[in-house]
């Protein structure tokens, strides 16, 4: 496990579990979230004040993301891993009803963030000269047509593409770039406070019997950042309880509210 990491969207869900895993392995973490309260609560829960630093940053904002890399250097003296994890559900509803603003916001939070995180982490890692690992949280929605709303799916396909192109570009610097592609994971982003609503996915279409939990994704993401994955780069690894194997049709099943309405979800 790399020793100093930045984790975006670390206030809850998958990002928090990535930060927890890094800290449990003895590492130090710069945690970032837009939600100050969530972020500070997450820091308290990790109970490792000397090895955890929180910054309230919007990941679509370049000076903010640059600040994260600076914080890693200032507080912990180096940077080994960048987890570009923060994301939102984004624009939903029929394509014929979607607004340009909602579409652009979805791309700013889900894709510009990964570009910025990669840019500023890679600058530091190249200067450091000892390589590093970048892990982007994509989604199975970026691999198929039935895994999420159009804008969200397009952003995650872009993240997978960016993962591959930057893996090729950064390999000479010994910086590995990979993506983890979760299926249905029971976080706020998915269930919006009503986990039972999405249980039908698990019962009807996800082959694996248990609910996807954030720590299951964190384990894959931190493995990708670790030396155990030292020959793995440019990969998009699915962790989805077999959904892709079974062909997901999530939009047919339990997202009727997303099909009837139009708007943007910031969670
Ligand atoms: P979550 O909503 O539980 O956590 C996301 C965190 O990101 C929140 O703490 C939120 O405050 C933060 N955030 C949102 N916008 C931000 C911004 N502009 N700047 C900084 N922080 C911001 O969601 P999660 O399920 O843990 O999602 C994490 C990642 O996993 C996302 O990229 C998401 O698209 C991806 N993902 C989730 C699922 C799932 O089923 N939950 C499936 C596939 C992919």
């Amino acid at each position: 496990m790399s020793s100093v990491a930045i984790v975006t969207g670390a206030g809850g869900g998958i990002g928090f579990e990535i930060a927890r895993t890094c800290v449990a392995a003895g590492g130090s973490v710069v945690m970032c979230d837009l939600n100050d309260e969530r972020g500070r609560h997450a820091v308290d829960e990790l109970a490792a004040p000397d090895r955890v630093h929180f910054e309230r940053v919007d990941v679509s904002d370049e000076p903010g993301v640059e600040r994260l890399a600076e914080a890693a250097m200032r507080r912990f003296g180096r940077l080994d891993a960048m987890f570009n994890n923060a994301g939102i559900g984004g624009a939903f509803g029929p394509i014929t009803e979607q607004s340009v603003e909602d579409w652009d916001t979805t791309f700013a939070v889900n894709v510009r963030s990964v570009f910025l995180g990669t840019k500023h982490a890679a600058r530091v890692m190249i200067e450091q000269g000892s390589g590093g690992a970048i892990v982007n949280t994509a989604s199975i929605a970026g691999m198929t047509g039935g895994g999420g709303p159009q804008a969200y799916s397009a952003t995650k396909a872009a993240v997978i593409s960016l993962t591959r192109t930057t893996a090729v570009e950064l390999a000479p610097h010994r910086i590995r770039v990979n993506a983890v592609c979760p299926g249905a994971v029971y976080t706020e982003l998915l269930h919006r406070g009503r986990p039972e609503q999405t249980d039908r996915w698990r019962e009807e279409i996800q082959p694996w019997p248990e609910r996807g939990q954030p720590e299951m994704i964190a384990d894959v993401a931190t493995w990708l950042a670790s030396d155990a994955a030292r020959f793995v780069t440019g990969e998009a690894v699915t962790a989805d309880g077999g959904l892709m194997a079974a062909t997901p049709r999530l939009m047919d099943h339990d997202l009727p509210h997303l099909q009837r309405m139009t708007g943007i979800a910031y969670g």
Side-chain angles (χ1 to χ4, degrees):
M1 186 59 233
S2 301
S3 53
V4 179
I6 297 171
V7 184
T8 69
I14 295 167
F16 175 70
E17 291 302 331
I18 292 173
R20 193 211 294 272
T21 307
C22 292
V23 168
S28 303
V29 184
V30 174
M31 297 169 73
C32 137
D33 207 284
L34 183 59
N35 185 324
D36 208 34
E37 202 184 319
R38 237 183 148 186
R40 295 196 184 280
H41 184 261
V43 167
D44 289 347
E45 210 173 320
L46 291 180
D50 294 347
R51 290 189 288 125
V52 171
H53 175 86
F54 175 71
E55 293 272 337
R56 182 189 178 275
V57 160
D58 177 348
V59 286
S60 64
D61 172 56
E62 180 155 31
V65 175
E66 199 170 1
R67 222 166 51 237
L68 297 177
E70 287 164 3
M73 297 310 283
R74 194 180 63 248
R75 273 293 308 266
F76 305 121
R78 57 180 296 108
L79 178 62
D80 302 292
M82 175 81 202
F83 293 92
N84 290 311
N85 167 77
I88 56 173
F92 56 83
I95 192 84
T96 47
E97 304 297 325
Q98 278 188 26
S99 75
V100 168
E101 291 75 19
D102 290 353
W103 180 273
D104 286 350
T105 300
T106 312
F107 268 76
V109 178
N110 287 5
V111 186
R112 191 198 297 159
S113 59
V114 178
F115 151 57
L116 293 175
T118 304
K119 173 178 173 178
H120 290 288
R123 278 186 175 177
V124 170
M125 289 170 181
I126 289 169
E127 167 103 25
Q128 219 169 241
S130 51
I134 297 171
V135 181
N136 303 320
T137 308
S139 169
I140 59 164
M143 300 173 141
T144 180
Q150 321 86 346
Y152 180 78
S153 301
T155 64
K156 294 303 184 179
V159 170
I160 293 169
S161 175
L162 192 57
T163 300
R164 294 197 173 117
T165 52
T166 52
V168 173
E169 181 179 341
L170 296 172
H173 300 285
R174 296 182 181 278
I175 299 170
R176 297 181 299 102
V177 190
N178 290 289
V180 59
C181 299
V185 183
Y186 282 71
T187 66
E188 282 286 324
L189 183 140
L190 184 76
H191 61 63
R192 298 180 197 294
R194 294 171 62 199
E196 69 292 346
Q197 188 179 316
T198 37
D199 260 352
R200 207 140 48 84
W201 293 355
R202 180 171 51 88
E203 285 157 13
E204 294 177 12
I205 50 174
Q206 177 187 292
W208 197 258
E210 277 114 38
R211 280 181 178 176
Q213 301 292 353
E215 55 271 27
M216 297 171 178
I217 309 306
D219 283 348
V220 177
T222 51
W223 175 76
L224 283 168
S226 77
D227 283 348
R230 61 193 173 279
F231 201 49
V232 181
T233 194
E235 273 302 313
V237 179
T238 55
D240 68 349
L243 266 179
M244 281 297 286
T247 309
R249 294 177 61 210
L250 302 184
M251 295 301 283
D252 293 354
H253 275 254
D254 218 0
L255 291 174
H257 56 297
L258 294 192
Q259 286 164 349
R260 278 198 300 271
M261 298 183 293
T262 304
I264 183 163
Y266 287 96

Short mmCIF file of all heavy atoms in Angstrom, two decimals, residues 8-15 32-35 38 57-60 85-88 109-110 137-140 152 156 181-190 266-267, ligand 1:
data_model
loop_
_atom_site.label_atom_id
_atom_site.label_comp_id
_atom_site.label_asym_id
_atom_site.label_seq_id
_atom_site.Cartn_x
_atom_site.Cartn_y
_atom_site.Cartn_z
N THR A 8 -10.56 11.85 -3.03
CA THR A 8 -11.64 12.83 -3.22
C THR A 8 -12.99 12.16 -2.93
O THR A 8 -13.15 10.95 -3.11
CB THR A 8 -11.64 13.44 -4.63
OG1 THR A 8 -12.00 12.44 -5.58
CG2 THR A 8 -10.27 14.02 -4.98
N GLY A 9 -13.93 12.98 -2.47
CA GLY A 9 -15.23 12.43 -2.09
C GLY A 9 -15.09 11.51 -0.89
O GLY A 9 -15.79 10.49 -0.78
N ALA A 10 -14.19 11.88 0.03
CA ALA A 10 -13.86 10.99 1.16
C ALA A 10 -14.78 11.19 2.36
O ALA A 10 -14.61 10.54 3.38
CB ALA A 10 -12.40 11.20 1.57
N GLY A 11 -15.78 12.06 2.22
CA GLY A 11 -16.68 12.32 3.34
C GLY A 11 -17.65 11.17 3.61
O GLY A 11 -18.26 11.09 4.68
N GLY A 12 -17.80 10.27 2.66
CA GLY A 12 -18.73 9.16 2.87
C GLY A 12 -18.57 8.13 1.77
O GLY A 12 -17.71 8.25 0.90
N GLY A 13 -19.42 7.11 1.83
CA GLY A 13 -19.48 6.09 0.76
C GLY A 13 -18.14 5.45 0.47
O GLY A 13 -17.35 5.14 1.37
N ILE A 14 -17.87 5.27 -0.81
CA ILE A 14 -16.67 4.54 -1.25
C ILE A 14 -15.39 5.29 -0.86
O ILE A 14 -14.41 4.70 -0.41
CB ILE A 14 -16.74 4.33 -2.78
CG1 ILE A 14 -17.93 3.41 -3.13
CG2 ILE A 14 -15.44 3.76 -3.33
CD1 ILE A 14 -18.30 3.37 -4.61
N GLY A 15 -15.41 6.63 -1.01
CA GLY A 15 -14.22 7.44 -0.70
C GLY A 15 -13.81 7.30 0.75
O GLY A 15 -12.61 7.19 1.07
N CYS A 32 -10.66 14.84 0.82
CA CYS A 32 -11.34 16.02 0.26
C CYS A 32 -12.81 15.72 0.10
O CYS A 32 -13.20 14.60 -0.24
CB CYS A 32 -10.70 16.35 -1.08
SG CYS A 32 -11.86 16.76 -2.39
N ASP A 33 -13.63 16.71 0.37
CA ASP A 33 -15.06 16.60 0.08
C ASP A 33 -15.62 18.02 -0.07
O ASP A 33 -15.06 18.97 0.47
CB ASP A 33 -15.82 15.85 1.19
CG ASP A 33 -17.07 15.16 0.66
OD1 ASP A 33 -18.08 15.85 0.41
OD2 ASP A 33 -17.03 13.93 0.46
N LEU A 34 -16.70 18.13 -0.79
CA LEU A 34 -17.37 19.42 -0.93
C LEU A 34 -18.21 19.70 0.31
O LEU A 34 -18.42 20.83 0.70
CB LEU A 34 -18.28 19.37 -2.18
CG LEU A 34 -19.03 20.62 -2.57
CD1 LEU A 34 -18.06 21.77 -2.83
CD2 LEU A 34 -19.85 20.37 -3.84
N ASN A 35 -18.67 18.62 0.93
CA ASN A 35 -19.52 18.72 2.12
C ASN A 35 -18.62 18.76 3.36
O ASN A 35 -18.09 17.74 3.80
CB ASN A 35 -20.46 17.52 2.15
CG ASN A 35 -21.46 17.60 3.28
OD1 ASN A 35 -21.14 18.09 4.36
ND2 ASN A 35 -22.66 17.12 3.02
N ARG A 38 -19.71 16.55 6.43
CA ARG A 38 -19.47 15.13 6.17
C ARG A 38 -17.97 14.82 6.27
O ARG A 38 -17.55 13.83 6.85
CB ARG A 38 -19.95 14.80 4.75
CG ARG A 38 -20.97 13.70 4.71
CD ARG A 38 -21.37 13.36 3.30
NE ARG A 38 -21.67 11.93 3.23
CZ ARG A 38 -21.94 11.27 2.13
NH1 ARG A 38 -21.94 11.86 0.97
NH2 ARG A 38 -22.20 9.98 2.17
N VAL A 57 -12.98 20.96 -0.78
CA VAL A 57 -12.66 21.33 -2.16
C VAL A 57 -13.76 20.82 -3.08
O VAL A 57 -14.29 19.72 -2.90
CB VAL A 57 -11.28 20.71 -2.56
CG1 VAL A 57 -11.11 20.63 -4.07
CG2 VAL A 57 -10.13 21.51 -1.95
N ASP A 58 -14.09 21.64 -4.07
CA ASP A 58 -14.96 21.19 -5.17
C ASP A 58 -14.02 20.61 -6.23
O ASP A 58 -13.18 21.33 -6.79
CB ASP A 58 -15.74 22.39 -5.72
CG ASP A 58 -16.61 22.01 -6.91
OD1 ASP A 58 -16.45 20.89 -7.47
OD2 ASP A 58 -17.46 22.83 -7.29
N VAL A 59 -14.17 19.34 -6.53
CA VAL A 59 -13.22 18.67 -7.43
C VAL A 59 -13.27 19.17 -8.87
O VAL A 59 -12.41 18.83 -9.68
CB VAL A 59 -13.41 17.13 -7.43
CG1 VAL A 59 -12.88 16.52 -6.15
CG2 VAL A 59 -14.87 16.74 -7.69
N SER A 60 -14.28 19.98 -9.19
CA SER A 60 -14.31 20.54 -10.55
C SER A 60 -13.57 21.86 -10.63
O SER A 60 -13.52 22.49 -11.69
CB SER A 60 -15.77 20.71 -11.02
OG SER A 60 -16.44 21.66 -10.21
N ASN A 85 -12.12 9.92 -6.85
CA ASN A 85 -13.32 9.12 -6.54
C ASN A 85 -14.62 9.92 -6.54
O ASN A 85 -15.67 9.37 -6.85
CB ASN A 85 -13.09 8.44 -5.18
CG ASN A 85 -14.37 7.85 -4.63
OD1 ASN A 85 -14.81 6.79 -5.06
ND2 ASN A 85 -14.99 8.56 -3.69
N ALA A 86 -14.56 11.20 -6.18
CA ALA A 86 -15.82 11.97 -6.03
C ALA A 86 -16.63 11.95 -7.32
O ALA A 86 -16.07 12.01 -8.41
CB ALA A 86 -15.50 13.42 -5.64
N GLY A 87 -17.93 11.86 -7.17
CA GLY A 87 -18.80 11.88 -8.34
C GLY A 87 -20.23 12.08 -7.91
O GLY A 87 -20.58 11.90 -6.74
N ILE A 88 -21.05 12.47 -8.88
CA ILE A 88 -22.49 12.66 -8.61
C ILE A 88 -23.30 11.85 -9.61
O ILE A 88 -22.80 11.49 -10.68
CB ILE A 88 -22.91 14.15 -8.68
CG1 ILE A 88 -22.55 14.76 -10.05
CG2 ILE A 88 -22.28 14.95 -7.54
CD1 ILE A 88 -23.09 16.18 -10.27
N VAL A 109 -18.23 17.70 -12.68
CA VAL A 109 -17.95 17.00 -11.42
C VAL A 109 -17.36 15.60 -11.67
O VAL A 109 -16.48 15.16 -10.95
CB VAL A 109 -19.22 16.90 -10.54
CG1 VAL A 109 -18.92 16.14 -9.25
CG2 VAL A 109 -19.76 18.29 -10.22
N ASN A 110 -17.83 14.92 -12.69
CA ASN A 110 -17.41 13.52 -12.88
C ASN A 110 -16.19 13.34 -13.78
O ASN A 110 -15.49 12.34 -13.65
CB ASN A 110 -18.58 12.70 -13.46
CG ASN A 110 -19.66 12.43 -12.43
OD1 ASN A 110 -19.60 12.93 -11.31
ND2 ASN A 110 -20.67 11.67 -12.81
N THR A 137 -12.47 6.31 -9.93
CA THR A 137 -13.71 5.54 -9.74
C THR A 137 -14.62 5.81 -10.94
O THR A 137 -15.16 6.91 -11.10
CB THR A 137 -14.43 5.92 -8.43
OG1 THR A 137 -13.49 5.83 -7.35
CG2 THR A 137 -15.58 4.95 -8.16
N ALA A 138 -14.73 4.81 -11.81
CA ALA A 138 -15.63 4.91 -12.97
C ALA A 138 -16.93 4.21 -12.58
O ALA A 138 -17.44 4.42 -11.47
CB ALA A 138 -14.98 4.29 -14.19
N SER A 139 -17.47 3.38 -13.45
CA SER A 139 -18.72 2.66 -13.15
C SER A 139 -18.98 1.68 -14.29
O SER A 139 -18.58 1.93 -15.43
CB SER A 139 -19.90 3.64 -13.06
OG SER A 139 -21.13 2.94 -13.02
N ILE A 140 -19.73 0.63 -13.99
CA ILE A 140 -20.16 -0.24 -15.09
C ILE A 140 -21.08 0.53 -16.03
O ILE A 140 -21.25 0.15 -17.19
CB ILE A 140 -20.85 -1.54 -14.60
CG1 ILE A 140 -22.08 -1.23 -13.76
CG2 ILE A 140 -19.86 -2.45 -13.88
CD1 ILE A 140 -23.01 -2.43 -13.57
N TYR A 152 -24.60 10.48 -16.94
CA TYR A 152 -23.74 9.77 -15.98
C TYR A 152 -22.92 8.70 -16.71
O TYR A 152 -21.70 8.60 -16.53
CB TYR A 152 -24.61 9.14 -14.90
CG TYR A 152 -23.83 8.37 -13.85
CD1 TYR A 152 -23.16 9.03 -12.83
CD2 TYR A 152 -23.77 6.98 -13.88
CE1 TYR A 152 -22.45 8.34 -11.87
CE2 TYR A 152 -23.06 6.26 -12.93
CZ TYR A 152 -22.41 6.94 -11.92
OH TYR A 152 -21.69 6.25 -10.97
N LYS A 156 -18.77 8.37 -17.20
CA LYS A 156 -17.97 7.25 -16.72
C LYS A 156 -17.22 6.56 -17.87
O LYS A 156 -16.11 6.05 -17.68
CB LYS A 156 -18.86 6.26 -15.96
CG LYS A 156 -19.44 6.86 -14.66
CD LYS A 156 -18.36 7.35 -13.72
CE LYS A 156 -18.89 7.85 -12.40
NZ LYS A 156 -17.85 8.29 -11.47
N CYS A 181 -14.55 -0.08 -11.53
CA CYS A 181 -15.90 0.13 -12.07
C CYS A 181 -16.91 -0.60 -11.19
O CYS A 181 -17.19 -1.79 -11.39
CB CYS A 181 -15.99 -0.40 -13.49
SG CYS A 181 -14.85 0.43 -14.61
N PRO A 182 -17.48 0.12 -10.19
CA PRO A 182 -18.46 -0.55 -9.32
C PRO A 182 -19.77 -0.81 -10.04
O PRO A 182 -20.12 -0.13 -11.00
CB PRO A 182 -18.68 0.48 -8.19
CG PRO A 182 -17.60 1.52 -8.33
CD PRO A 182 -17.22 1.51 -9.77
N GLY A 183 -20.49 -1.82 -9.51
CA GLY A 183 -21.87 -2.04 -9.93
C GLY A 183 -22.77 -1.26 -9.00
O GLY A 183 -22.56 -0.07 -8.77
N ALA A 184 -23.79 -1.92 -8.43
CA ALA A 184 -24.70 -1.25 -7.51
C ALA A 184 -24.14 -1.34 -6.09
O ALA A 184 -24.06 -2.43 -5.52
CB ALA A 184 -26.08 -1.91 -7.58
N VAL A 185 -23.74 -0.20 -5.54
CA VAL A 185 -23.14 -0.16 -4.21
C VAL A 185 -24.04 0.67 -3.30
O VAL A 185 -24.42 1.79 -3.67
CB VAL A 185 -21.73 0.46 -4.27
CG1 VAL A 185 -21.07 0.44 -2.89
CG2 VAL A 185 -20.86 -0.30 -5.27
N TYR A 186 -24.33 0.15 -2.13
CA TYR A 186 -25.32 0.79 -1.25
C TYR A 186 -24.76 2.00 -0.51
O TYR A 186 -24.41 1.93 0.64
CB TYR A 186 -25.94 -0.25 -0.32
CG TYR A 186 -26.96 -1.06 -1.06
CD1 TYR A 186 -26.56 -1.97 -2.03
CD2 TYR A 186 -28.32 -0.87 -0.87
CE1 TYR A 186 -27.48 -2.68 -2.77
CE2 TYR A 186 -29.26 -1.58 -1.61
CZ TYR A 186 -28.82 -2.48 -2.55
OH TYR A 186 -29.74 -3.17 -3.29
N THR A 187 -24.69 3.11 -1.24
CA THR A 187 -24.28 4.39 -0.66
C THR A 187 -25.43 5.37 -0.90
O THR A 187 -26.38 5.07 -1.61
CB THR A 187 -23.02 4.93 -1.35
OG1 THR A 187 -23.34 5.24 -2.72
CG2 THR A 187 -21.87 3.93 -1.32
N GLU A 188 -25.26 6.56 -0.34
CA GLU A 188 -26.25 7.62 -0.52
C GLU A 188 -26.53 7.88 -1.99
O GLU A 188 -27.67 8.13 -2.40
CB GLU A 188 -25.74 8.92 0.10
CG GLU A 188 -25.87 8.97 1.61
CD GLU A 188 -27.31 9.20 2.04
OE1 GLU A 188 -28.02 9.94 1.35
OE2 GLU A 188 -27.71 8.60 3.05
N LEU A 189 -25.47 7.83 -2.81
CA LEU A 189 -25.61 8.14 -4.23
C LEU A 189 -26.63 7.21 -4.88
O LEU A 189 -27.40 7.62 -5.74
CB LEU A 189 -24.25 8.01 -4.92
CG LEU A 189 -24.17 8.36 -6.41
CD1 LEU A 189 -22.88 9.12 -6.70
CD2 LEU A 189 -24.23 7.12 -7.28
N LEU A 190 -26.65 5.96 -4.44
CA LEU A 190 -27.53 4.98 -5.07
C LEU A 190 -28.92 4.98 -4.46
O LEU A 190 -29.93 5.06 -5.16
CB LEU A 190 -26.92 3.58 -4.94
CG LEU A 190 -27.69 2.47 -5.64
CD1 LEU A 190 -27.45 2.51 -7.14
CD2 LEU A 190 -27.28 1.09 -5.11
N TYR A 266 -27.38 15.96 -7.13
CA TYR A 266 -26.03 16.37 -6.69
C TYR A 266 -25.42 15.37 -5.73
O TYR A 266 -24.40 15.64 -5.13
CB TYR A 266 -26.08 17.77 -6.06
CG TYR A 266 -26.27 18.86 -7.10
CD1 TYR A 266 -27.53 19.37 -7.36
CD2 TYR A 266 -25.19 19.33 -7.81
CE1 TYR A 266 -27.69 20.35 -8.33
CE2 TYR A 266 -25.34 20.30 -8.78
CZ TYR A 266 -26.60 20.82 -9.03
OH TYR A 266 -26.77 21.78 -9.98
N GLY A 267 -26.04 14.22 -5.54
CA GLY A 267 -25.48 13.22 -4.64
C GLY A 267 -24.88 12.09 -5.39
O GLY A 267 -25.04 11.99 -6.60
P1 LIG B 1 -21.58 9.14 -2.12
O1 LIG B 1 -22.60 10.14 -2.55
O2 LIG B 1 -21.83 8.27 -0.94
O3 LIG B 1 -20.17 9.86 -1.89
C1 LIG B 1 -19.69 10.82 -2.79
C2 LIG B 1 -18.97 11.90 -2.02
O4 LIG B 1 -18.48 12.87 -2.98
C3 LIG B 1 -19.89 12.66 -1.07
O5 LIG B 1 -19.31 12.73 0.23
C4 LIG B 1 -20.05 14.03 -1.70
O6 LIG B 1 -20.22 15.09 -0.76
C5 LIG B 1 -18.74 14.16 -2.48
N1 LIG B 1 -18.86 15.11 -3.60
C6 LIG B 1 -19.89 15.28 -4.46
N2 LIG B 1 -19.63 16.27 -5.33
C7 LIG B 1 -18.39 16.73 -5.01
C8 LIG B 1 -17.56 17.76 -5.53
N3 LIG B 1 -17.96 18.54 -6.57
N4 LIG B 1 -16.34 17.98 -4.97
C9 LIG B 1 -15.94 17.22 -3.90
N5 LIG B 1 -16.67 16.25 -3.37
C10 LIG B 1 -17.89 16.00 -3.91
O7 LIG B 1 -21.32 8.27 -3.43
P2 LIG B 1 -20.46 6.94 -3.69
O8 LIG B 1 -21.41 5.89 -4.12
O9 LIG B 1 -19.50 6.68 -2.60
O10 LIG B 1 -19.71 7.43 -5.02
C11 LIG B 1 -18.30 7.50 -5.13
C12 LIG B 1 -17.94 7.25 -6.58
O11 LIG B 1 -18.36 5.95 -6.96
C13 LIG B 1 -18.59 8.21 -7.58
O12 LIG B 1 -17.67 8.60 -8.57
C14 LIG B 1 -19.70 7.38 -8.18
O13 LIG B 1 -20.07 7.80 -9.48
C15 LIG B 1 -19.04 6.01 -8.19
N6 LIG B 1 -19.97 4.87 -8.30
C16 LIG B 1 -20.90 4.62 -7.33
C17 LIG B 1 -21.76 3.56 -7.50
C18 LIG B 1 -22.81 3.21 -6.48
O14 LIG B 1 -23.63 2.31 -6.76
N7 LIG B 1 -22.83 3.84 -5.32
C19 LIG B 1 -21.68 2.74 -8.64
C20 LIG B 1 -20.73 3.04 -9.59
C21 LIG B 1 -19.87 4.11 -9.42
#
